[in-house]
Structures are given as structure tokens and as C-alpha cells.
């Protein structure tokens, strides 16, 4: 049995300990998010350059599993080596600081919104949608900065530098609207992903997984993850259009002719990509084939 003094001492120390633990957890989440962002940045950098259509390396001739000859574009490692050759190893982290700022702000905003919605009765998916949308609005300006910093590799520009210089440059040239270029397709893609993923997972867990199955709980725990992978493929074009609109007509070579047409709206961009068969450009890092319309004829 614990004494009254011990119990009262524990009760008195609950609030400070809880507060300290909460602060420690929040700090750990922020640091973890920043670390993951830094580690994965080279992947997203290469992906962004592929999205804007920058292919500095020649394709190579290869064969499919059925023996048909095709042209393969360089994969991630070849592309990354090219960036290192041009800009050095630090060049792989161009545009990283806005992404880290975005990660930190997103974590803080999400935590604050969850705290505000604690006592609000609504569907979990609806709350997730609200959190996702508000977080996107808060962090999209930093996404635009990061994308433009990375896209400078195409034309070797130095227009956008650090975060503060990016803010000043965008505000002077485009006003507040410049920070939210491409926001609409980004939000639509994330909302569509969220609802489709949750609805599919709900129906599969409810109607497809038999309660008598011994591993039913284990299967249900992975359903949402698997659905997320599948749905992300379908919503990828929204992310592609958002990134292209962030660069389009901002003064960088990557967003101007001949590299890219000047789009009147994100729907115009979507229509252009759809006609060219490029709505999934950049969705893969490996075994990237040259578009069929660009293929030369092979003499067998």
C-alpha cells in the first residue's frame, strides 16, 4: 500500500510531468519530421525535375520481358549522379530549407487543430479532411518556394535563394497570390485521397474480411496502408499539376517555353498533360520509358 504522502506527491506532480512529456514528444516529432524530410529530399528533388520534363541524360536501348526493344530514361541513381556532377553533393539538397520549415509548421498546425477539435463530434474522416486542408493552406507557400528553388537546376538560375529572399521575391513579383499557385489541385488531390482511402478501407474491413478469420484484426490493420498505396497512384496527377503550376510562368526556364507552355489555369495544365499522355510523368523512378510518340523506329 502506498502512503497518502506518496499519492499526494504523485498527484501534485502529474501536471508538470505531463507537460514536460508533451513538450518532449512534440520536440521529438518535430525533429523526426525534419530528419525524414532531409533524408528523402534527394528523392523528391529528382522527382520534381522529372515532373517538369527535364531530361539531361540520353535514353538507353533496352528490352522488355517479352523481348521488345524500347528506350529507357535514366533512373534515380543516374539522375542523382548527374546532379552531384553538376552541383556537388550539396546540390542534392537544393530547396531543403523551405521543406523543413513546411514540415515543422505542418506538425504544429495539425497539433493545434486536433486540440481544437477534441470536443467536436464529427466523423473521423471529416476531421482529418479539415486538418489536412488547413495544414496545406498554412504550408503551401513553402512548397512553392521549395519547388522553385529546385526547378532552378533546369536553367541554372539563382533567382531564388533562402526562405526570406524567396518570400521577398515572390511577394514583389506576384503578391500574396504567388504563394498559393497550384493550391487548388493539391487540396483536391489530398481530399480525394483521404476520402477514397478511408471509404475503401471501411468497406473492405466491414464486408470483405470475415470475422471468423483468425488473422482478421491483423488484416484490418494493414488495409488502410494498402489502400493508401493504391489510391495515391490515382491521385498522382493532382500532385503533378500542382507542382507544374508552382513553377509555370514564374520567370524560370523550367516554367517557360520551350520547356513548358504557359498555362492559363490548372485545368489548362491538366488538359495539356492529358493530351500528351503525361499525367503520370515522374510517378516512377525506375524503368522509365520514353513516351511512345517520341520513340524512333528501330531497324530490326
Amino acid at each position: 500500500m502506498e502512503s497518502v504522502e506518496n499519492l499526494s506527491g504523485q498527484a501534485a506532480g502529474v501536471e508538470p510531468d505531463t507537460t514536460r512529456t508533451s513538450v518532449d514528444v512534440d520536440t521529438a516529432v518535430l525533429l523526426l519530421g525534419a530528419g525524414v524530410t532531409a533524408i528523402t529530399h534527394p528523392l523528391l528533388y529528382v522527382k520534381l525535375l522529372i515532373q517538369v520534363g527535364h531530361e539531361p541524360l540520353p535514353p538507353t536501348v533496352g528490352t522488355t520481358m517479352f523481348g521488345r526493344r524500347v528506350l529507357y530514361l535514366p533512373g534515380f541513381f543516374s539522375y542523382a549522379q548527374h546532379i552531384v556532377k553538376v552541383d556537388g553533393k550539396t546540390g542534392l539538397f537544393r530547396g531543403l530549407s523551405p521543406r523543413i520549415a513546411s514540415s515543422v509548421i505542418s506538425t504544429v498546425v495539425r497539433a493545434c487543430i486536433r486540440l481544437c477539435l477534441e470536443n467536436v463530434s464529427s466523423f473521423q474522416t471529416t476531421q482529418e479532411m479539415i486538418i489536412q486542408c488547413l495544414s496545406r493552406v498554412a504550408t503551401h507557400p513553402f512548397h512553392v518556394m521549395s519547388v522553385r528553388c529546385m526547378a532552378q537546376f533546369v536553367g541554372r538560375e539563382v533567382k531564388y535563394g533562402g526562405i526570406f529572399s524567396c518570400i521577398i521575391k515572390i511577394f514583389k513579383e506576384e503578391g500574396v497570390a504567388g504563394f498559393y499557385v497550384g493550391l487548388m489541385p493539391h487540396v483536391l488531390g489530398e481530399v480525394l485521397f483521404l476520402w477514397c482511402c478511408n471509404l475503401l478501407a471501411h468497406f473492405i474491413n466491414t464486408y470483405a474480411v470475415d470475422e471468423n478469420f483468425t488473422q482478421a484484426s491483423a488484416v484490418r490493420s494493414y488495409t488502410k496502408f494498402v489502400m493508401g498505396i493504391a489510391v495515391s497512384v490515382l491521385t498522382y496527377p493532382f500532385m503533378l499539376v500542382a507542382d507544374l503550376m508552382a513553377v509555370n510562368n514564374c520567370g524560370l526556364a523550367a516554367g517557360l517555353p520551350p520547356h513548358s507552355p504557359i498555362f492559363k489555369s490548372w485545368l489548362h495544365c491538366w488538359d495539356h498533360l492529358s493530351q500528351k499522355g503525361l499525367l503520370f510523368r515522374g510517378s516512377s523512378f525506375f524503368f522509365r520509358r520514353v513516351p511512345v510518340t517520341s520513340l524512333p523506329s528501330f531497324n530490326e
Side-chain angles (χ1 to χ4, degrees):
M1 294 289 291
E2 297 186 57
S3 64
V4 177
E5 290 80 9
N6 288 339
L7 291 174
S8 61
Q10 291 176 4
V14 166
E15 188 173 350
D17 291 344
T18 304
T19 304
R20 193 181 306 113
T21 303
S22 177
V23 171
D24 291 342
V25 170
D26 290 343
T27 304
V29 171
L30 289 174
L31 292 175
L32 179 62
V36 172
T37 299
I39 292 171
T40 59
H41 187 75
L43 289 170
L44 294 180
Y45 186 14
V46 171
K47 180 180 179 180
L48 187 278
L49 294 179
I50 295 173
Q51 285 180 328
V52 299
H54 184 56
E55 297 292 349
L57 301 175
T60 56
V61 179
T63 56
T64 64
M65 61 183 299
F66 299 106
R68 187 163 61 91
R69 298 177 70 187
V70 294
L71 286 177
Y72 284 110
L73 292 168
F76 166 75
F77 294 107
S78 298
Y79 213 129
Q81 286 175 358
H82 172 72
I83 295 173
V84 171
K85 188 181 297 183
V86 174
D87 284 342
K89 292 181 180 179
T90 56
L92 286 172
F93 297 93
R94 182 197 296 258
L96 175 60
S97 55
R99 286 198 64 231
I100 290 179
S102 175
S103 173
V104 172
I105 292 172
S106 176
T107 302
V108 174
V109 169
R110 286 171 179 273
C112 293
I113 298 172
R114 285 195 180 94
L115 192 62
C116 294
L117 296 178
E118 271 187 350
N119 298 322
V120 177
S121 57
S122 62
F123 292 110
Q124 181 182 355
T125 304
T126 303
Q127 289 194 3
E128 290 179 9
M129 181 185 68
I130 294 172
I131 293 171
Q132 187 66 35
C133 290
L134 293 178
S135 173
R136 172 53 55 191
V137 170
T139 60
H140 192 74
F142 295 94
H143 176 76
V144 172
M145 295 178 212
S146 179
V147 167
R148 292 186 180 183
C149 287
M150 292 186 283
Q152 290 182 130
F153 182 84
V154 177
R156 310 305 301 156
E157 297 104 338
V158 291
K159 182 177 181 180
Y160 299 98
I163 293 178
F164 292 108
S165 65
C166 285
I167 292 174
I168 294 171
K169 180 70 69 174
I170 294 173
F171 185 76
K172 280 185 176 180
E173 295 184 355
E174 304 170 58
V176 177
F179 294 104
Y180 291 96
V181 179
L183 174 64
M184 185 59 69
H186 220 151
V187 171
L188 288 176
E190 289 179 342
V191 170
L192 184 63
F193 170 83
L194 185 62
W195 279 97
C196 289
C197 183
N198 285 357
L199 286 174
L200 286 173
H202 171 73
F203 282 117
I204 290 175
N205 288 338
T206 304
Y207 302 107
V209 181
D210 192 349
E211 289 290 348
N212 297 323
F213 181 52
T214 55
Q215 301 295 326
S217 59
V219 171
R220 288 194 178 99
S221 64
Y222 288 103
T223 303
K224 192 171 181 179
F225 172 75
V226 175
M227 289 300 100
I229 296 175
V231 174
S232 65
V233 176
L234 299 177
T235 58
Y236 176 80
F238 289 94
M239 306 299 112
L240 172 60
V241 171
D243 288 343
L244 292 183
M245 290 304 296
V247 179
N248 194 249
N249 199 24
C250 69
L252 298 179
L256 294 171
H259 287 92
S260 168
I262 295 178
F263 302 115
K264 298 177 182 178
S265 67
W266 72 270
L267 292 174
H268 181 202
C269 178
W270 183 293
D271 184 60
H272 171 77
L273 293 174
S274 179
Q275 290 180 7
K276 297 289 185 180
L278 299 174
L279 277 175
F280 292 91
R281 183 172 65 187
S283 60
S284 174
F285 286 117
F286 305 100
F287 305 108
R288 299 187 304 118
R289 296 185 187 181
V290 174
V292 177
T293 55
S294 304
L295 280 173
S297 57
F298 290 114
N299 293 323
E300 297 293 333

